[in-house]
Amino acid sequence: MSEPIIALDGIRKTYRSGSLEFEALCGIDTAISEGEYVAVVGPSGSGKSTLMNILGCLDNPTAGRYLLAGEDVSTMSEAQLAEVRNRRIGFVFQQFNLLASLPAWRNVELPLVYAGVSRHERRERAVAALTRVGLADRTENRPGELSGGQQQRVAVARALVTEPAMILADEPTGNLDSRSTADVLDLLDELHGAGRTIVLITHEKDVAERAGRNLVISDGQITSDRPTARAGVSA
């Protein structure tokens, strides 16, 4: 059996302010395999945002070990984490984080700019990624000319363009109406069906049920790790 994409062993995160300490994560142990679609579920203050920051290599744990695609990222420097983020992780955020002055394909190519990819290859790959998310006819549109659901599809294309080890989606439907929410969740289903590894952070139970597995977090600990009714279902 191949190594998991994500392996967390005894992950702890402690925040300190003067003499006060707060342990946001209290020893997280879990693994996520290639091709899994996992939702991390929990209310505000549960620790899910802290866990997302660690999974996304936006922060280091205070203690424990984190292997991402077999690479130990637990004690990496800021510069090393930035390189891993760009190479291994595709991010989709609640705020689309698109640049209003740039057309869709230019927004999608940005991670490739940071990776030093040539201009011609960047455009080709950006257009291909937009085509994969159903926006082949919107490559020249700026964000303001797109619906909320289409803007989130641009963000998903940007997440895909580097061919990352996983897609990390943080409340990706939080700013969308019901129709656009269904549209984006259908897209994540399609990507999962094509073999993508997806980790979805959410506080919405109905959104979490679209994944194949739910990790429920409360008070900095995983309190439940269970398959959903959709486990094993491909788009």
Side-chain angles (χ1 to χ4, degrees):
M1 185 175 177
S2 61
E3 286 185 333
I5 289 292
I6 290 172
L8 303 179
D9 180 16
I11 294 294
R12 293 179 177 273
K13 182 65 181 180
T14 303
Y15 294 104
R16 294 180 175 86
S17 177
S19 61
L20 300 177
E21 289 190 354
F22 170 68
E23 193 165 44
L25 297 178
C26 310
I28 300 288
D29 299 301
T30 195
I32 296 173
S33 300
E34 184 174 2
E36 272 199 282
Y37 185 177
V38 178
V40 178
V41 193
S44 177
S46 62
K48 72 179 188 302
S49 294
T50 302
L51 181 58
M52 186 214 71
N53 286 339
I54 289 173
L55 290 175
C57 294
L58 298 165
D59 198 2
N60 292 111
T62 305
R65 192 167 183 239
Y66 173 21
L67 297 182
L68 175 59
E71 188 173 12
D72 189 347
V73 299
S74 312
T75 58
M76 284 186 174
S77 67
E78 289 280 348
Q80 290 171 320
L81 287 175
E83 193 275 332
V84 169
R85 284 196 301 272
N86 197 55
R87 178 166 46 92
R88 297 283 195 191
I89 305 167
F91 290 95
V92 182
F93 295 105
Q94 179 176 344
Q95 306 293 339
F96 313 129
N97 292 345
L98 302 177
L99 298 180
S101 62
L102 297 181
W105 77 267
R106 293 289 304 276
N107 272 284
V108 172
E109 75 161 356
L110 286 174
L112 302 178
V113 174
Y114 302 138
V117 176
S118 70
R119 181 180 299 180
H120 177 72
E121 184 180 348
R122 291 199 309 263
R123 184 181 176 99
E124 279 193 346
R125 288 172 62 176
V127 170
L130 285 165
T131 299
R132 287 164 72 181
V133 301
L135 292 178
D137 60 341
R138 293 287 188 269
T139 60
E140 296 294 341
N141 289 88
R142 287 175 170 77
E145 301 167 331
L146 301 172
S147 69
Q150 289 172 329
Q151 289 183 60
Q152 194 60 292
R153 280 180 173 260
V154 174
V156 172
R158 183 181 57 198
L160 290 170
V161 77
T162 59
E163 298 293 333
M166 71 163 171
I167 295 172
L168 184 57
D170 180 24
E171 302 280 7
T173 61
N175 281 340
L176 302 178
D177 60 30
S178 58
R179 182 174 179 179
S180 295
T181 290
D183 186 43
V184 169
L185 291 176
D186 286 346
L187 175 58
L188 292 178
D189 284 347
E190 291 170 18
L191 295 173
H192 172 235
R196 289 282 171 183
T197 304
I198 300 172
V199 179
L200 171 70
I201 312 295
T202 185
H203 67 278
E204 300 178 73
K205 290 184 178 179
D206 56 337
V207 172
E209 287 299 315
R210 295 291 291 260
R213 176 182 164 202
N214 281 184
L215 293 176
V216 180
I217 186 168
S218 179
D219 296 327
Q221 297 179 310
I222 293 176
T223 57
S224 174
D225 181 350
R226 64 173 183 82
T228 69
R230 293 178 63 87
V233 176
S234 295

